[in-house]
Amino acid sequence: MLALKKTQSGAGYLDLVEGSFPVLEGDEVLVKVWSAGICGSDVLIEKDRHFYKAPVTLGHEFSGVIEAVGPDVRTVKVGDRIAADIETRSGWLGVTRNGAFASHMSVPEAQIFVYPETVSLDDICFTEPMVATVHAMEERHTVMSGDFVVVVGPGPMGLLGVQMARFKGAGTIVVIGRKGIDERRLAIAKQVGANHVLYSEDNPEAAIFKLSEGRGADFVLECSATATGFQHGIDCARRSPEGRGGAGKISVISLWGEPITVQPDAISLYQLDLRGSWSWNGPETWRRAVELVQSGSFDFSSVLTGRYALADWRTAFDSFQSCQDCKVFLYPNGADWQS
Amino acid sequence: MLALKKTQSGAGYLDLVEGSFPVLEGDEVLVKVWSAGICGSDVLIEKDRHFYKAPVTLGHEFSGVIEAVGPDVRTVKVGDRIAADIETRSGWLGVTRNGAFASHMSVPEAQIFVYPETVSLDDICFTEPMVATVHAMEERHTVMSGDFVVVVGPGPMGLLGVQMARFKGAGTIVVIGRKGIDERRLAIAKQVGANHVLYSEDNPEAAIFKLSEGRGADFVLECSATATGFQHGIDCARRSPEGRGGAGKISVISLWGEPITVQPDAISLYQLDLRGSWSWNGPETWRRAVELVQSGSFDFSSVLTGRYALADWRTAFDSFQSCQDCKVFLYPNGADWQS
Amino acid sequence: MLALKKTQSGAGYLDLVEGSFPVLEGDEVLVKVWSAGICGSDVLIEKDRHFYKAPVTLGHEFSGVIEAVGPDVRTVKVGDRIAADIETRSGWLGVTRNGAFASHMSVPEAQIFVYPETVSLDDICFTEPMVATVHAMEERHTVMSGDFVVVVGPGPMGLLGVQMARFKGAGTIVVIGRKGIDERRLAIAKQVGANHVLYSEDNPEAAIFKLSEGRGADFVLECSATATGFQHGIDCARRSPEGRGGAGKISVISLWGEPITVQPDAISLYQLDLRGSWSWNGPETWRRAVELVQSGSFDFSSVLTGRYALADWRTAFDSFQSCQDCKVFLYPNGADWQS
Amino acid sequence: MLALKKTQSGAGYLDLVEGSFPVLEGDEVLVKVWSAGICGSDVLIEKDRHFYKAPVTLGHEFSGVIEAVGPDVRTVKVGDRIAADIETRSGWLGVTRNGAFASHMSVPEAQIFVYPETVSLDDICFTEPMVATVHAMEERHTVMSGDFVVVVGPGPMGLLGVQMARFKGAGTIVVIGRKGIDERRLAIAKQVGANHVLYSEDNPEAAIFKLSEGRGADFVLECSATATGFQHGIDCARRSPEGRGGAGKISVISLWGEPITVQPDAISLYQLDLRGSWSWNGPETWRRAVELVQSGSFDFSSVLTGRYALADWRTAFDSFQSCQDCKVFLYPNGADWQS
């Protein structure tokens, strides 16, 4: 079985190699992988800037169909269409335990969420990114109805963030991107619910204060992973220099991977609330995300711009990193064996 | 009447000049100023990096004695020893309305807090700094009993922060300062309650994780106003990469006044909560601070290292800025007419 | 001009009497009332169990069309279709200042929200109830995606609550009502989004724990105004006897008007969070509600079961109180002069 | 070894009987019990109104000295003076696993907190009650400096609550008790920090609003376990009918054990925040409590009014229930073998 593996520690060492077929524990199931998304952390693992345990098959955003079950499995069955919480007793799937960049993987029964037939396997594969979105926009900070929301960075997380803001009843949603680089992604942003897209180069703060009649952004999702983006976030957030403070809520999910230069005085002076968001709050968050994926209220297909065979993983990774594509999926078993 | 005034807009323009004696409205009182503290924002006003309205007598941290009252004043009387909320209907005292760097000032009755005879006028002059401390350490974020607290920057706010942490029942309190520059202030930190003082240059994060048995700082007061200090704050805060997040609370009161270079990944990855703190939450915060000043639980005299005549304001400002002194008070009427 | 007035203090004294036509201040507008809802607090004012200032024209939930503007009015104009924040400088509209149970009323410009032509005047009249809903379900406590929500009491507030829960992405919504009395309202509940309706008499707690696989209700909206309803609320809420607590959120908007008998041990033992909700958080809440009314996501017409002429006010009040009707509007100018 | 046991299910069945001497697991220690407090839940277990697992030796508030250690114990040693978290892998000490109402007990090493010699064994025995106090007054709701605090019910928890409020910098502390019944406890309340004690029978709400200049109680600790007490709590809490709400914080730790009759309208109308508090938030809370017990800032000896031999358990229980005593300890090994 071919598997895209981080073969050893260090920068690089990402290769499509022969991997052993999963052997099931009694309470595990064999999943035939439908699709597996490339995440920013996969890129960081390649660069050796994220934790992992080599050798390991990457791929922690996935959907698939159960092909076999261990003798102790009780609640799921062959044929079920599933996503799964990646925290298992023996490691994180696709990070420290073999994941989904291969034709098959094993998953403990307790992690599995079964979806109805009505949800496509491509949509199911957005479960993990939606977990991160729920955590950043409901659990760590909460978008409220009527909020003026700014999303800095129109990557996959930004485009899900736009939809989450829309779903939660945001009043106005603005996305900030870069001229040239982010054109395609900004076009998708408008398509999935942004009221306005602004260029990072054109003083977006001024536009935001004007659009919000001086109020600024009640809620900022900072997912630019750039210094300029971080600065936009703190500069456009709603200010409460007096009183209780905290009128400007900033959910920070960027990883920069290197030092950045910013002017942070607005944090103090305008009493901003920055909350970092990473991962999720246990099964609680997964449950919420599954509910949202099932709701049919999200347009995942517009975000999914790149569909690649596993053999084309290098092209897929490069296209994701260059921002030519938005969300990119690999299909280890092809894309013609299920609907 | 001589008054230390910001005489006009722009950098500089801070001078001891002749000012007009206050004329009272019906509901105002005439305060004979005992002392008036030099605040970081006074320094920023001199440099034209903070809001103000010139010409204006500076001085917004003050204590004094009521010398006369307007005809409509009902609740306070001549001889009362007072501090006052600086937000008046006609501006902020010492910022946009004439303040305390002069022998006398006028204050509306509604702003005034009367202290009992048992509290010294020097201690009363710490009311405004205590307001900022309460806001940063109870209202914006809350120190809890047993917390491992790190104070980055042993300036006046840092030294009050140490005492506030001690007062709230913190378990261990660590202060980070700079070799050479902060020696005097670090010595005071130990005197007023710090369990440990660490040098910024000696990898204080490692020491903090060791002292806290791997937990890191539950609460960080960031008042260093340096890039290195900000980095210490986010690097030593308690990490919660999984779960609910927010285990590391950082109250940010620094103003840097210029861009800084930092590596902020820990904010996202460890799900930190940064809350900027500035000013106060209306009279509510003043009420709390007055209670604390009266409690007798704070050692203000150790923090007050510099006592200067108004005429020596330049020396006082310089000594404050060079960190030779810690808290610095000016005494426009001398320091021998009250106890 | 006929006006439905609380004519003097005491129980009763609600009458349709001749009232004086509004005289405008310079910054006020003359509103021709379209409809005005009967609220539970109008009933309480009749019974002398709510604050008010007699004599006063009741009616604080309203929509209308601007018919004239004072000389200082700048931002709204004749013909605008409006709702309004009821807190004016000279009293609460319909409570301590003349309200909407009359053909015309005056409203200060600053309180007004102008709606686009696309929103019907009946829907606009739901602005004030939506303000209360936003406050109870987003501001005081927050419904989150995937939450198991229980609404106790299918009155107008309960039926808006069902829709708000659905709007915020609740997983399952259960409504508890009384056999016989609430049949019509329970039928509407299902129509506007409830997944299940349960009878108060049939041990709804057991059903709720079963439906939620033992979890109980993450969020309860308590709007039953009965002792039994309050008991249901605390008995079906999610329990967290250990740990951080607060897993069961109960937003309480009932007014009982008399003592009730309940067994409250679950509050302590299961660490429930009860938050009373009343009114709103200033213009902020109104802004959110206006956004939601405009969103088109709420089915107000199913909740509006009773449309009465002002002359039929007694019948309207009685039908509301007997729970035969759900939301009841009075139309002081008839219902045929606008769409 | 004699042990005070709940011998079987049902009301009653509390007896001093022969129990087997503890046998240690490898990671457990043998504790010679110094003292063990009688808690309200012990009384409820006798009455069969609290969970437990019979037969079981009761006693979950305790201090003692380590007399022997299992072979795998590494971090504590014979002679250590200790308290312990009661949640073990095989049950709650004194509730579902044998506890401290006997000369000896076994405790897993991981639960143990070792105190320095400077803390008396009687004080150490207050660790568990302090855990509940920290949870109710810092974690579930937080007392802030300057708060006007009302404690309803001057039992052991109320008297620790008074001290906790004082410790956290409360401005004014009022305790409400019953005439006759609570006289001794009210006297202690004044001794340990209450500014005022009020009788439940004398309209304490009026006095509280007067003492607080109309503000009401910022924080209420409800530990009366009476209907009247609960009513006092919601009636004296600070009101915020408008705005954000939540100005009145009520921490509810009472268990009533039966239905009560109350008028709850104030919860809704004044937007109160009631949070039930029970147990603790894992080891985090224990760590905080141990810190506070060690701080020397609490006067536990005034609260400890009854010291009884184990053989006199019936008298001790009766004296506790009749409110003649406040905190009551049993000493299974006498009280003369340690300081």
Side-chain angles (χ1 to χ4, degrees):
Chain A
M1 179 184 76
L2 284 174
L4 181 57
K5 282 183 176 283
K6 180 78 178 185
T7 55
Q8 62 176 94
S9 292
Y13 301 114
L14 188 63
D15 273 308
L16 190 63
V17 296
E18 190 61 31
S20 50
F21 199 83
V23 178
L24 300 188
E25 306 272 326
D27 68 341
E28 293 186 342
V29 307
L30 181 71
V31 174
K32 182 176 177 185
V33 176
W34 170 255
S35 57
I38 298 175
C39 172
S41 58
D42 294 317
V43 173
L44 292 175
I45 290 173
E46 182 177 18
K47 296 181 178 170
D48 202 35
R49 297 205 320 226
H50 188 285
F51 68 94
Y52 58 90
K53 185 175 165 189
V56 68
T57 304
L58 299 188
H60 61 275
E61 305 175 0
F62 58 86
S63 62
V65 179
I66 296 182
E67 204 169 84
V69 300
D72 306 331
V73 168
R74 293 287 172 272
T75 60
V76 300
K77 61 180 192 307
V78 170
D80 280 350
R81 299 147 68 86
I82 63 110
D85 186 341
I86 70 176
E87 288 188 85
T88 78
R89 64 185 168 241
S90 56
W92 285 32
L93 296 169
V95 184
T96 61
R97 170 179 163 161
N98 286 335
F101 289 159
S103 69
H104 290 79
M105 66 190 297
S106 64
V107 181
E109 174 184 21
Q111 325 289 123
I112 288 177
F113 294 93
V114 177
Y115 277 93
E117 291 284 331
T118 50
V119 186
S120 78
L121 282 161
D122 273 352
D123 281 7
I124 295 173
C125 195
F126 276 91
T127 303
E128 202 272 355
M130 282 301 290
V131 163
T133 301
V134 166
H135 194 51
M137 299 181 74
E138 281 205 295
E139 294 181 338
R140 292 288 293 141
H141 263 316
T142 306
V143 174
M144 287 170 68
S145 63
D147 271 359
F148 193 104
V149 174
V150 171
V151 173
V152 192
M157 290 308 299
L159 296 178
L160 295 182
V162 168
Q163 297 190 54
M164 188 69 173
R166 178 60 62 228
F167 183 82
K168 302 298 289 182
T172 302
I173 302 169
V174 171
V175 177
I176 303 176
R178 293 159 299 174
K179 278 188 187 167
I181 302 170
D182 289 323
E183 302 294 349
R184 184 180 185 189
R185 293 172 164 200
L186 289 172
I188 300 173
K190 293 209 72 162
Q191 198 174 320
V192 298
N195 301 86
H196 307 273
V197 299
L198 300 173
Y199 286 122
S200 177
E201 294 81 359
D202 290 348
N203 191 1
E205 292 84 1
I208 286 163
F209 277 95
K210 193 169 174 197
L211 286 167
S212 60
E213 296 173 5
R215 197 166 93 226
D218 299 292
F219 189 102
V220 175
L221 179 66
E222 209 302 290
C223 47
S224 71
T226 68
T228 310
F230 189 82
Q231 191 72 55
H232 289 322
I234 64 179
D235 285 348
C236 76
R238 188 171 169 191
R239 298 167 179 180
S240 46
E242 297 178 54
R244 194 180 282 255
K249 298 169 283 185
I250 306 183
S251 210
V252 183
I253 61 173
S254 288
L255 292 180
W256 291 265
E258 58 188 2
I260 61 174
T261 300
V262 291
Q263 214 303 9
D265 283 13
I267 297 173
S268 303
L269 200 51
Y270 302 132
Q271 304 202 107
L272 306 181
D273 271 17
L274 283 82
R275 303 195 188 162
S277 185
W278 181 252
S279 70
W280 45 83
N281 186 24
E284 184 107 349
T285 316
W286 284 85
R287 184 171 50 73
R288 298 189 196 283
V290 168
E291 200 78 52
L292 293 179
V293 171
Q294 271 185 217
S295 73
S297 304
F298 287 75
D299 171 6
F300 297 118
S301 56
S302 294
V303 180
L304 175 61
T305 59
R307 310 172 97 230
Y308 295 85
L310 182 58
D312 299 329
W313 68 271
R314 185 73 265 164
T315 311
F317 267 67
D318 291 346
S319 175
F320 172 65
Q321 276 181 265
S322 69
C323 304
Q324 290 316 296
D325 262 312
C326 187
K327 194 70 205 176
V328 170
F329 283 179
L330 300 178
Y331 294 80
N333 293 291
D336 52 2
W337 56 280
Q338 281 271 339
S339 59
Chain B
M1 179 183 78
L2 285 174
L4 180 57
K5 280 182 176 284
K6 179 77 177 184
T7 55
Q8 62 176 92
S9 292
Y13 300 115
L14 188 63
D15 274 307
L16 192 62
V17 296
E18 190 60 31
S20 51
F21 200 82
V23 179
L24 300 188
E25 306 273 326
D27 68 342
E28 293 185 343
V29 308
L30 181 70
V31 174
K32 182 176 177 185
V33 176
W34 170 255
S35 57
I38 297 174
C39 173
S41 58
D42 294 318
V43 173
L44 292 175
I45 290 173
E46 183 177 18
K47 296 180 178 170
D48 203 34
R49 297 206 321 225
H50 189 283
F51 68 93
Y52 59 88
K53 186 175 164 191
V56 67
T57 305
L58 299 188
H60 60 276
E61 305 175 1
F62 58 86
S63 63
V65 178
I66 296 181
E67 204 170 85
V69 301
D72 306 330
V73 169
R74 293 287 171 272
T75 60
V76 299
K77 62 181 192 304
V78 170
D80 281 349
R81 300 147 68 87
I82 63 109
D85 185 341
I86 70 175
E87 288 187 84
T88 79
R89 63 184 170 245
S90 57
W92 284 32
L93 296 169
V95 184
T96 61
R97 171 180 163 161
N98 285 336
F101 289 159
S103 70
H104 290 80
M105 65 190 298
S106 64
V107 181
E109 173 184 22
Q111 323 290 124
I112 288 177
F113 294 92
V114 178
Y115 277 92
E117 291 284 331
T118 49
V119 186
S120 78
L121 283 161
D122 274 351
D123 280 7
I124 295 173
C125 195
F126 276 91
T127 304
E128 203 271 355
M130 281 301 291
V131 163
T133 301
V134 165
H135 193 50
M137 299 180 74
E138 281 205 295
E139 294 181 338
R140 292 289 293 142
H141 263 314
T142 306
V143 174
M144 287 170 67
S145 64
D147 272 357
F148 193 104
V149 174
V150 170
V151 173
V152 192
M157 290 308 299
L159 297 177
L160 294 182
V162 168
Q163 297 190 55
M164 188 68 172
R166 177 61 61 228
F167 182 82
K168 302 297 289 182
T172 303
I173 303 169
V174 171
V175 177
I176 303 176
R178 293 159 299 174
K179 279 189 185 166
I181 301 171
D182 289 324
E183 302 293 351
R184 184 180 185 189
R185 293 172 164 198
L186 289 172
I188 300 172
K190 294 208 73 161
Q191 198 174 319
V192 299
N195 301 85
H196 306 274
V197 299
L198 300 173
Y199 286 122
S200 177
E201 294 80 1
D202 291 347
N203 192 1
E205 292 84 359
I208 286 163
F209 278 94
K210 193 169 174 196
L211 286 166
S212 59
E213 296 173 5
R215 196 166 93 225
D218 299 293
F219 189 103
V220 174
L221 179 67
E222 209 303 291
C223 48
S224 70
T226 67
T228 310
F230 189 81
Q231 191 73 55
H232 289 322
I234 63 179
D235 286 347
C236 76
R238 187 172 170 191
R239 299 167 179 179
S240 46
E242 297 178 54
R244 195 181 281 255
K249 298 170 282 184
I250 306 183
S251 211
V252 183
I253 62 173
S254 289
L255 291 180
W256 291 265
E258 58 188 1
I260 61 174
T261 299
V262 290
Q263 214 304 9
D265 284 12
I267 297 174
S268 303
L269 201 51
Y270 302 132
Q271 304 202 104
L272 306 181
D273 271 17
L274 284 82
R275 302 195 188 163
S277 185
W278 181 252
S279 69
W280 46 84
N281 186 25
E284 183 107 350
T285 316
W286 284 85
R287 183 171 51 72
R288 298 189 195 284
V290 168
E291 199 79 51
L292 292 180
V293 172
Q294 271 185 217
S295 73
S297 304
F298 287 76
D299 171 6
F300 297 119
S301 57
S302 293
V303 180
L304 175 61
T305 59
R307 308 172 99 229
Y308 295 85
L310 182 58
D312 298 329
W313 67 272
R314 186 71 266 163
T315 312
F317 268 66
D318 291 346
S319 175
F320 171 66
Q321 277 181 263
S322 68
C323 304
Q324 292 314 298
D325 262 313
C326 186
K327 194 72 206 175
V328 170
F329 283 179
L330 300 177
Y331 293 80
N333 293 291
D336 53 2
W337 56 280
Q338 281 270 338
S339 58
Chain C
M1 179 184 75
L2 284 174
L4 180 58
K5 280 184 177 283
K6 180 79 178 183
T7 56
Q8 62 176 93
S9 292
Y13 300 114
L14 188 64
D15 273 308
L16 191 63
V17 297
E18 190 61 29
S20 51
F21 200 82
V23 179
L24 300 189
E25 305 272 326
D27 68 342
E28 292 185 343
V29 308
L30 181 69
V31 174
K32 182 175 178 185
V33 176
W34 170 256
S35 58
I38 298 174
C39 173
S41 57
D42 294 318
V43 173
L44 292 175
I45 290 173
E46 183 177 17
K47 296 182 177 168
D48 202 36
R49 298 206 318 227
H50 189 283
F51 68 92
Y52 60 89
K53 185 175 165 190
V56 68
T57 304
L58 299 187
H60 61 274
E61 305 175 1
F62 58 86
S63 63
V65 178
I66 297 181
E67 204 170 84
V69 301
D72 305 330
V73 169
R74 292 288 171 272
T75 60
V76 300
K77 62 180 191 307
V78 170
D80 280 349
R81 301 147 67 87
I82 63 108
D85 186 341
I86 70 175
E87 288 187 85
T88 79
R89 62 184 170 245
S90 57
W92 283 32
L93 296 168
V95 184
T96 61
R97 169 179 165 162
N98 285 335
F101 289 159
S103 70
H104 290 80
M105 66 190 298
S106 64
V107 181
E109 174 185 21
Q111 324 290 122
I112 288 177
F113 294 92
V114 178
Y115 277 92
E117 291 284 329
T118 48
V119 186
S120 78
L121 283 161
D122 274 352
D123 280 7
I124 295 173
C125 195
F126 276 91
T127 304
E128 203 272 353
M130 280 301 291
V131 163
T133 301
V134 166
H135 194 50
M137 299 180 74
E138 280 206 295
E139 294 180 339
R140 291 289 292 142
H141 263 315
T142 306
V143 175
M144 287 169 68
S145 63
D147 272 358
F148 193 104
V149 174
V150 170
V151 173
V152 193
M157 290 309 299
L159 296 177
L160 294 182
V162 168
Q163 297 190 56
M164 189 69 172
R166 177 61 61 228
F167 183 82
K168 302 298 289 182
T172 303
I173 303 169
V174 171
V175 177
I176 302 176
R178 294 159 297 174
K179 279 189 186 167
I181 302 171
D182 289 325
E183 302 293 351
R184 184 181 186 188
R185 293 171 164 200
L186 289 173
I188 300 173
K190 294 209 71 161
Q191 197 173 321
V192 299
N195 300 86
H196 306 274
V197 300
L198 300 173
Y199 287 122
S200 177
E201 295 80 0
D202 291 347
N203 192 2
E205 292 85 359
I208 286 162
F209 277 95
K210 193 168 173 199
L211 286 166
S212 60
E213 297 173 4
R215 196 167 94 224
D218 299 292
F219 189 102
V220 175
L221 179 67
E222 209 303 288
C223 48
S224 71
T226 67
T228 310
F230 189 82
Q231 191 73 55
H232 289 322
I234 63 178
D235 285 348
C236 77
R238 187 171 170 191
R239 299 168 178 179
S240 46
E242 298 178 53
R244 194 180 282 255
K249 299 169 283 184
I250 305 183
S251 210
V252 183
I253 62 173
S254 289
L255 291 179
W256 290 265
E258 58 188 2
I260 61 174
T261 300
V262 290
Q263 213 304 8
D265 283 13
I267 298 173
S268 303
L269 201 51
Y270 303 132
Q271 305 202 104
L272 306 181
D273 270 18
L274 283 82
R275 302 195 188 163
S277 185
W278 181 252
S279 71
W280 46 82
N281 185 24
E284 182 107 350
T285 316
W286 284 84
R287 184 170 51 72
R288 297 189 196 283
V290 168
E291 199 79 51
L292 292 180
V293 172
Q294 271 185 217
S295 73
S297 305
F298 287 76
D299 171 6
F300 297 118
S301 57
S302 294
V303 180
L304 175 62
T305 60
R307 309 172 98 230
Y308 295 86
L310 182 58
D312 299 329
W313 68 272
R314 186 70 266 164
T315 311
F317 267 68
D318 291 347
S319 174
F320 172 65
Q321 276 180 264
S322 68
C323 304
Q324 292 314 299
D325 262 313
C326 187
K327 194 71 207 174
V328 171
F329 283 179
L330 299 178
Y331 294 80
N333 293 291
D336 53 1
W337 56 280
Q338 281 271 339
S339 59
Chain D
M1 177 184 78
L2 284 174
L4 180 58
K5 281 183 177 282
K6 179 77 177 183
T7 55
Q8 62 174 93
S9 292
Y13 300 113
L14 189 63
D15 274 308
L16 192 63
V17 297
E18 189 62 29
S20 50
F21 200 83
V23 179
L24 300 189
E25 306 272 326
D27 68 342
E28 293 186 342
V29 308
L30 181 70
V31 174
K32 182 175 178 185
V33 176
W34 169 256
S35 57
I38 297 174
C39 172
S41 57
D42 293 318
V43 173
L44 292 175
I45 290 173
E46 182 176 19
K47 296 181 178 171
D48 202 35
R49 296 204 323 225
H50 189 284
F51 68 92
Y52 60 89
K53 185 175 165 188
V56 68
T57 304
L58 299 188
H60 61 275
E61 305 175 1
F62 58 86
S63 63
V65 179
I66 296 181
E67 204 169 84
V69 301
D72 305 330
V73 169
R74 293 285 171 275
T75 60
V76 300
K77 61 180 192 306
V78 171
D80 280 349
R81 300 148 67 88
I82 64 109
D85 185 341
I86 70 175
E87 288 187 85
T88 78
R89 62 184 170 244
S90 57
W92 284 32
L93 296 169
V95 184
T96 60
R97 170 179 163 160
N98 286 335
F101 289 159
S103 69
H104 290 80
M105 66 191 296
S106 65
V107 181
E109 173 183 22
Q111 323 290 123
I112 288 177
F113 295 93
V114 177
Y115 276 93
E117 291 284 329
T118 49
V119 186
S120 78
L121 282 161
D122 274 351
D123 281 7
I124 295 172
C125 195
F126 276 91
T127 303
E128 202 272 354
M130 281 301 290
V131 163
T133 301
V134 166
H135 194 51
M137 299 180 74
E138 281 205 295
E139 293 180 338
R140 292 288 293 141
H141 262 316
T142 306
V143 175
M144 287 169 68
S145 64
D147 272 358
F148 193 104
V149 174
V150 170
V151 173
V152 192
M157 289 309 299
L159 297 178
L160 294 183
V162 168
Q163 297 189 55
M164 188 69 172
R166 178 61 61 227
F167 182 82
K168 301 298 289 182
T172 303
I173 302 169
V174 171
V175 177
I176 303 177
R178 293 159 300 175
K179 279 189 186 166
I181 302 171
D182 289 324
E183 302 293 351
R184 183 179 186 190
R185 292 170 164 202
L186 289 172
I188 300 173
K190 293 208 73 161
Q191 197 174 320
V192 298
N195 301 86
H196 307 274
V197 299
L198 300 173
Y199 286 122
S200 176
E201 294 80 359
D202 291 348
N203 192 2
E205 292 85 359
I208 286 163
F209 277 95
K210 193 168 174 197
L211 286 166
S212 60
E213 296 173 6
R215 195 166 95 226
D218 299 293
F219 189 102
V220 175
L221 179 67
E222 210 301 291
C223 48
S224 71
T226 68
T228 311
F230 189 82
Q231 191 72 56
H232 289 322
I234 64 179
D235 286 348
C236 76
R238 187 170 170 193
R239 299 167 179 179
S240 46
E242 297 178 53
R244 196 180 280 256
K249 297 169 284 183
I250 306 183
S251 210
V252 183
I253 61 173
S254 288
L255 291 180
W256 290 265
E258 58 187 2
I260 61 174
T261 300
V262 291
Q263 214 303 11
D265 283 13
I267 297 173
S268 303
L269 201 50
Y270 302 131
Q271 304 203 107
L272 307 181
D273 271 17
L274 284 82
R275 301 193 189 165
S277 185
W278 181 252
S279 70
W280 46 83
N281 185 24
E284 183 107 351
T285 316
W286 284 85
R287 184 171 50 73
R288 297 189 196 285
V290 168
E291 200 80 51
L292 293 179
V293 171
Q294 270 186 219
S295 74
S297 304
F298 287 76
D299 171 7
F300 297 118
S301 57
S302 294
V303 181
L304 175 61
T305 59
R307 308 171 100 229
Y308 295 85
L310 182 58
D312 299 329
W313 68 271
R314 185 73 266 165
T315 311
F317 267 67
D318 291 347
S319 174
F320 172 65
Q321 275 181 264
S322 69
C323 305
Q324 291 315 297
D325 262 313
C326 188
K327 194 71 207 174
V328 171
F329 282 178
L330 299 178
Y331 294 79
N333 294 291
D336 52 2
W337 56 281
Q338 281 270 339
S339 59

